Amino acid sequence: MPQRKRGAADTTAAKATLRPRSAVAERHLEGALATPKIASYVLELGRKRNLSFPAMAELVGKQFGGIGPTAPQIAAFLGRTLRGKSSLNRFGRDPELAAWLRQHSSAGRLSDVHTACIQALGPDRTPSRTGIAAFLHAAGRRGRHGDGGRLDRDPEVAAWLRAEAVGHTLDELCNACAGRYGHARTPSRSAVGRFLKAAGYQCPGHRSRLHRDPEVAEWLRERAPGRTMDELRLACADTFGAPRTPSRTAIHRYLSRLPGGKLTRRKCRIDRDSEVANWVAEHRDGITLDGLHAAALARFGVERSPSRSGLARFLSSTRTRWPV
């Protein structure tokens, strides 16, 4: 017996059987969207990218005399029918969904936000986890949104980290967690940092040696102007000893964060020639910069005499003012 060809209705029915409807979708289709005319009209409106779901509900009500689906029903219907289509544009069409995600963006990891969105708005109206992650990132949320970390399986440690995050650096928090729960239950430093960022917490920055030694920090602030880095570090070692003296890099980072930027200076030609430096120090008062430069040329010649700009930098670094 020859097989008959499937018609358009049979093909549509076969596709429908491959995509079982959820209970929420069944309830939505029992209303106004169960009417073929209204459903086709809503699908036609769904192809217009600039129409929001509330605007669609208003147009459907005008078209059919006030009898039509609500905006959430249209959002769920189109979310199921046009899933994966670029014309759907959930976040641009559904202001209630966008507002809900902004309000609950710090409700935990991405999986937690996705699950809560399904419970609040239904599965047909909820975007994919990738779409939610992109939307939350554009809305200002930073950090990873992944699932399945060690802290998800250990809520006691997770709750303790949230409670103790304020006022502790990341290293202090990890050490305290290891002392309380042991190394087996303590995540890595990077895992704790990602967890706290996803939860909306931020630990204070790393406390350097100078942060823990305010006496040395105050000494460096007072004696940095007019000194080179080597001179400043040698003087610090003579005053406080080598164990309390920071490295050159640590001193440079600390001084660069102070108002006014770098306070030390590099060695210029005058610093490398003590005779010229002493002569400039003796003759700098009561003379203009041009006069000092001319006198230095006459005294030491072109080879040893600094340039006019070099003299200006040297006098500025030693806090010397000259007549105009």
Side-chain angles (χ1 to χ4, degrees), residues 214-237:
E215 184 183 0
V216 176
E218 182 65 24
W219 186 91
L220 289 172
R221 279 198 300 270
E222 293 177 356
R223 287 162 177 78
R227 294 173 181 256
T228 64
M229 185 64 70
D230 291 330
E231 294 171 351
L232 186 63
R233 191 167 185 273
L234 288 175
C236 183

Side-chain angles (χ1 to χ4, degrees), residues 105-237:
S105 61
S106 300
R109 291 180 171 270
L110 177 61
S111 59
D112 301 329
V113 177
H114 184 255
T115 303
C117 188
I118 291 176
Q119 294 174 354
L121 304 178
D124 294 332
R125 197 175 171 189
T126 300
S128 64
R129 296 197 309 175
T130 305
I132 292 177
F135 174 80
L136 293 180
H137 185 81
R141 172 170 165 168
R142 295 296 180 262
R144 292 189 180 184
H145 303 283
D147 297 324
R150 176 189 293 183
L151 291 169
D152 294 320
R153 300 186 295 271
D154 198 340
E156 182 182 358
V157 176
W160 184 86
L161 287 174
R162 292 192 195 97
E164 299 294 330
V166 180
H168 295 83
T169 64
L170 195 56
D171 291 328
E172 294 171 350
L173 192 63
C174 291
N175 292 333
C177 184
R180 182 181 178 90
Y181 296 101
H183 291 283
R185 295 179 65 186
T186 301
S188 64
R189 185 179 185 276
S190 57
V192 174
R194 291 194 300 268
F195 169 76
L196 293 177
K197 280 187 178 181
Y201 295 89
Q202 185 174 4
C203 290
H206 175 69
R207 292 176 181 171
S208 62
R209 175 189 291 186
L210 288 171
H211 182 86
R212 300 189 298 269
D213 197 341
E215 184 183 0
V216 176
E218 182 65 24
W219 186 91
L220 289 172
R221 279 198 300 270
E222 293 177 356
R223 287 162 177 78
R227 294 173 181 256
T228 64
M229 185 64 70
D230 291 330
E231 294 171 351
L232 186 63
R233 191 167 185 273
L234 288 175
C236 183

Side-chain angles (χ1 to χ4, degrees), residues 33-110:
L33 287 169
T35 306
K37 289 185 178 181
I38 297 180
S40 62
Y41 183 68
V42 169
L43 285 175
E44 182 182 351
L45 294 177
R47 298 187 182 94
K48 299 179 180 179
R49 298 174 180 269
N50 297 327
L51 277 179
S52 65
F53 295 140
M56 290 182 192
E58 185 178 354
L59 289 175
V60 173
K62 291 180 180 179
Q63 180 72 17
F64 295 95
I67 302 175
T70 62
Q73 290 175 333
I74 292 177
F77 172 72
L78 291 180
R80 178 172 177 79
T81 308
L82 302 180
R83 184 178 295 274
K85 303 290 185 180
S86 60
S87 60
L88 180 56
N89 187 16
R90 295 179 188 270
F91 303 107
R93 294 178 183 265
D94 199 339
E96 185 181 354
L97 168 65
W100 188 94
L101 287 174
R102 291 191 186 97
Q103 182 181 357
H104 297 83
S105 61
S106 300
R109 291 180 171 270
L110 177 61

